[in-house]
Structure formats: structure tokens, C-alpha cells
Amino acid sequence: VGKDSGKLLSDMAPLLEQLRTLTGDPFYSYRLGLVYLQLHDNAKARSAFLDAAKRAPVNAHYRDAARRLAEKFDDCVQNEETW
């Protein structure tokens, strides 16, 4: 992540946290997971993806992606790999 884009992503994370809290919309958890992934904060990314996967409506377009990304973190931990 470049210097400017890293700053932008760092600024986005608290805003997405607020949106998730205010609306309860799990899509913001998914978006937050993507931001944390780019910031290399794997623990927060995994947590956000798990939240999105658990709370998203069954037909949500991002639900399967959130589940797969959360599982990818679990696989990496089991195999002692990194992204």
C-alpha cells in the first residue's frame, strides 16, 4: 500500500466502523475487512469477514466472499502461512 493510499485506508477504517455500528448493515463489515486486509491487519480483517459472513442475508452478493476470506485466514494460521 502506497503512502497516500495507506493514509486514506487508515482514515476509512473508523468511518466504516461507525457506519457498521450506526446501521447494523453487515456489508460495512465486509468493506471493513477489505480495508483491514489492505492495511495488513489480519486479525481485524478476519473478524470483520466473519461478522459479515454470519450476519449477511443469504442472498447477499458478498456473503460467500466474506466466508471464503475468513476461512483463508484460518487455513493460513493452520499452515503457518502468511497472505
Side-chain angles (χ1 to χ4, degrees):
V1 176
K3 183 180 175 184
D4 291 337
S5 59
K7 170 78 170 111
L8 179 62
L9 290 169
S10 293
D11 290 345
M12 284 178 59
L15 297 174
L16 287 169
E17 290 277 6
Q18 286 182 329
L19 285 168
R20 177 172 66 172
T21 300
L22 291 172
T23 66
D25 188 341
F27 181 68
Y28 292 118
S29 291
Y30 176 69
R31 297 298 302 168
L32 191 57
L34 294 175
V35 167
Y36 284 136
L37 184 62
Q38 291 182 341
L39 290 171
H40 305 286
D41 191 334
N42 293 345
K44 287 184 179 180
R46 180 185 178 274
S47 177
F49 289 136
L50 280 173
D51 182 62
K54 288 178 183 176
R55 296 187 319 109
V58 174
N59 62 345
H61 68 280
Y62 59 90
R63 184 177 182 190
D64 286 339
R67 180 187 49 77
R68 285 192 305 271
L69 286 163
E71 288 172 354
K72 175 74 172 162
F73 282 106
D74 292 338
D75 290 345
C76 287
V77 168
Q78 287 176 0
N79 298 321
E80 298 179 10
E81 298 173 2
T82 59
W83 277 79

